[in-house]
Amino acid sequence: MVPLIVFLVGICLLSVFTYNTNVQIQKDRRTIAKLNAVTYGQRIENDIENGIEITDTLKQVLINGNGQIIDFSKIAENLMSYSIQSVQLAPNGVVTEIYSEEGNEAGKIDLLKDSKRGEISNYAKDHNTIITQGPVELKQGGSGLVVRNPIYLEDENGQEYFWGFTIAVLRVPEVFEDSTNALSKFKYNYRLLREASVLDKKHVVVDANCDKMIRPATYNLTVGKEKWKLEIMPRAGWSNSTTLYLIFFGGLSLVLLLTGLTIVLFLLDERRVELKELAHKDGLTKLYNRYGFDEMAVKMISKNPKEHCVAVLLDVDDFKLINDMYGHAYGDKALISLAENMQKLFPSSALLGRNGGDEFCILLSNCTMEEIKEALIEFTKTPKTFSYKGQTYSFCISLGYAEYPNNAIERSQLMRCADAALYEVKLHGKNGCMAYKEGLQSGVRKQLGFVLNDISENLPGAFIIYRADKEDDEIFYANKEFLDMAGYENLDAFFNGTKKSFRNLIREDQQKAVEASIWNQIESGSKNDYIHYQLRRQDGTYIPVLDQGRIVESKRFGRVFYVLFMDWQAIQSHYSEKFNAKDVR
């Protein structure tokens, strides 16, 4: 009887264990699938947003050109990539410019009156919102997504009027094929869906590698105002039949070896903990990732709903320049250094996380904005550094914060308030710390300097942008070609060397005359000024330059100068018969 009892008990235990193992395998696979859905869903979201940004770039060029684009084909050529089928302009809703035009001539239509595109195009126009259509079949083969961005400009009376659309046609699946190929490589079935339009909430399939999904892991994307959805599941299903058979029949012969079963359970539990850690922590900084931070923040607030706490958002100023000048490996070093500073300064009870890229988040419990203000200011102003080829380089951060429950009672709204304060700091020159206050709008982005980073380095010529104020000018931006001309290693060195003042670029004995000449030209009614003088370089030497400036009005910054610099000696060498400019002495 004892062997029978042992056998029966062993069979029962083995049956229970096999069942639990199956549940655990499904749970682990679902956890991993959810993590992959989040990871690749965010990548797909970024890929689509990058495609949409092409229309924003054209929009900015139109704004700067007062509704005109000079040499559209050249600009469009620079914007094209493997995943872009074409770039188009539609003044007053009529497509007139298409790059590349070959094979796309049939696309020159009146979007507002077209039977297939009119309703959604008029919606985009009336609501001033970006819309996408598709997938649509392309005559060149394959499918595509059509992005239309309505453009509103101001006339000479300051009244907004509808200019038309900037349009980009994105190839599907090329626009996000790195992510979908990775899912296929990892043996996942996937299906990417989107709302048919903002007028039709029914989901349509954009891309898929299978016909049927069984209880898929889902990640919801937001592209503009449209809702997208990524569904994935393991190609072999949620269970692993081979593993289950091996466990059962192997366990049947080892039913008396209870120690072996204990080891298996331990290994499974250890694997579960490991997967949970991977799902919640950022691999680079070891702080919570966005998913883990959000989950912990909700628990933290709900545990003591009446207790005040402060949410903080911060990012690295000009982080793209660090990556561009020193490489992504050293950009990672800067992020690791910043994470270590956060861990040193803030108490162990603080919730620290990395949202992604160079953006970090903090939740400080049991405190108010007034109580934590000095500590946040100290953290913002404390020098932060990273090493590059044996030398130490510094970088700065911008920081915004908001208080629960005074500013918001929901975690997501609280973070949006901190985000609004962060970008208000950006609007005031970066490297600062600001508390949220009523009136700040979340999502505001500083246009000067940020949008130009990706364009300016490829435009011929050295230029800067600065606030046009006789008494208190401030340089906002300088491209790399100007930094090279003036002998500066990077933008931070340039800002430090000039104290962000345009007049500090002019030889001392010429400053008054140059500034007087510029303002005389502007005050005479011209939007442009031309002046020749000696430009001061970082090493104290001077080079003669021709300065061509244009003054524009900005809603947020008042009058702003866009200034192009040309090497005077090069001009004289190549165009001596065309130019006869006088030096200002």
Side-chain angles (χ1 to χ4, degrees), residues 5 42 65 113 148 193 212 222 251 276 287 316 347 355 373 410 417 451 500 512:
I5 291 173
Q42 289 176 347
K113 296 180 180 179
R148 299 189 187 98
L193 308 96
K212 185 178 181 181
T222 301
K276 185 176 180 180
L287 304 180
V316 179
N355 269 351
K373 175 180 179 181
E410 294 182 358
C417 291
V451 175
K500 288 192 173 183
K512 291 184 179 179

Side-chain angles (χ1 to χ4, degrees), residues 59 107 178 192 235 239-240 246 255 271 305 424 442 463 471 519 532:
K59 175 180 179 179
D178 287 346
L192 181 63
R235 192 170 297 161
S239 296
N240 189 330
L246 288 174
V255 69
R271 179 61 175 166
E424 192 68 16
S442 179
F463 71 90
E471 305 299 328
W519 284 107
H532 170 217

